[in-house]
Amino acid sequence: DDATVLCAVSEFYDSFRHRDLARMQDVWLKAPYVKCIHPFEKWSVGFDQVAASWRKLFQDKEFRPSAIAVDSLSVHVRGITAVATCSERLMTQADRLAYAATNVFSKVRGRWLMTHRHVSESGAKMRKTEGRRAEPEEEESDYDLEEESEFDSEDDEDEVFEREGQDLAAGTWRALRQLSAQQRLSSVARIKLLQDMLRSPGESVPERAYEMLLKEVPVAEQKAAWEDFAALMLAEA
């Protein structure tokens, strides 16, 4: 399956490079729960919104002509789910932009189709200005825990998820805490992921990853599934 997943990843980026909307639409699973998160844009949820977001991007004169290069591609496959993480460099006449991307595929009727894409800036932060051009701004820490955190302590995390009675959220939170205990996820990164969960209950990347990779996993696959989950969470954070 690794080879066929790589083919699906290649098809996605080829359609991106050629700004081919028909090919891009064919890459995605036509389902109401697929999600695409472009930089500087609102989340697109459902196939129709995702297709519209790519149409808008391809028609944007600010990004034409452009070229995209992919580095540090890593693919993890477990069952019918594949996670591809990489660095993206988008080069236009006006800008050189660097991004970290997470692409999730599901195997449906023998084809690997994209179900989730999340792209965030990497390296120097960029400030969006009128006309869609991005300009550098001073680097700041991602979170000031004293000002931004919705949790004063790990006990508060317990209380939030137990109060809400969300089994999926509680399981995801426990997995994130375990990553933190293993020193594979910083406290700042864990808080960021928890805040994402509260902003998008049941639809956040940590919860979807937990549901796809860790729920009801056969004993023989648990170690590999945990490593895939850890890799995805580190990329997302």
Side-chain angles (χ1 to χ4, degrees):
D1 274 340
D2 286 6
T4 52
V5 171
L6 287 172
C7 287
V9 173
S10 177
E11 175 64 15
F12 166 75
Y13 282 108
D14 282 348
S15 65
F16 196 159
R17 291 186 185 97
H18 292 94
R19 315 181 78 81
D20 189 326
L21 183 59
R23 286 177 67 184
M24 178 59 73
Q25 289 176 327
D26 191 53
V27 166
W28 284 83
L29 178 66
K30 294 177 175 61
Y33 55 82
V34 299
K35 182 182 293 184
C36 186
I37 306 172
H38 297 293
F40 314 125
E41 297 285 349
K42 294 181 179 179
W43 294 12
S44 300
V45 181
F47 177 78
D48 290 341
Q49 286 189 18
V50 169
S53 74
W54 285 106
R55 182 182 298 106
K56 179 181 179 181
L57 180 62
F58 289 170
Q59 292 175 348
D60 192 333
K61 294 180 181 179
E62 184 72 18
F63 290 97
R64 290 190 294 178
S66 63
I68 184 169
V70 176
D71 297 315
S72 304
L73 177 63
S74 176
V75 174
H76 301 271
V77 181
R78 191 180 76 82
I80 61 171
T81 302
V83 179
T85 59
C86 65
S87 300
E88 296 178 357
R89 289 180 288 114
L90 184 66
M91 292 152 281
T92 71
Q93 288 182 329
D95 296 295
R96 299 293 184 269
L97 308 175
Y99 300 110
T102 300
N103 301 309
V104 180
F105 296 81
S106 294
K107 193 174 187 179
V108 180
R109 294 185 292 277
R111 287 191 64 197
W112 287 99
L113 298 172
M114 188 173 285
T115 57
H116 186 98
R117 171 171 165 82
H118 190 173
V119 183
S120 56
E121 298 165 84
S122 64
K125 292 187 177 181
M126 310 296 286
R127 181 177 66 252
K128 189 72 187 308
T129 60
E130 186 176 357
R132 289 185 59 88
R133 179 170 298 180
E135 297 179 353
E137 64 179 10
E138 292 183 1
E139 186 74 21
E140 300 175 353
S141 62
D142 289 337
Y143 280 86
D144 182 335
L145 291 179
E146 294 184 357
E147 296 182 1
E148 297 288 342
S149 176
E150 299 178 32
F151 308 108
D152 292 329
S153 69
E154 290 188 350
D155 290 338
D156 289 340
E157 297 171 18
D158 285 325
E159 184 178 341
V160 167
F161 291 119
E162 288 177 2
R163 183 175 65 245
E164 295 297 328
Q166 298 174 351
D167 292 339
L168 177 60
T172 306
W173 159 77
R174 292 189 188 98
L176 294 177
R177 177 178 281 188
Q178 186 173 345
L179 284 177
S180 185
Q182 294 175 350
Q183 298 185 337
R184 302 176 69 175
L185 193 67
S186 70
S187 296
V188 172
R190 190 185 78 250
I191 292 298
K192 177 181 177 182
L193 294 172
L194 292 172
Q195 289 176 323
D196 289 344
M197 290 169 60
L198 291 177
R199 282 190 288 264
S200 304
E203 295 295 328
S204 67
V205 172
E207 288 167 288
R208 288 182 61 82
Y210 176 83
E211 186 173 29
M212 289 188 295
L213 297 173
L214 297 182
K215 288 194 71 175
E216 300 179 1
V217 181
V219 174
E221 298 181 12
Q222 286 179 357
K223 184 176 180 180
W226 178 253
E227 292 302 318
D228 288 347
F229 178 78
L232 182 56
M233 291 302 95
L234 290 173
E236 186 67 16

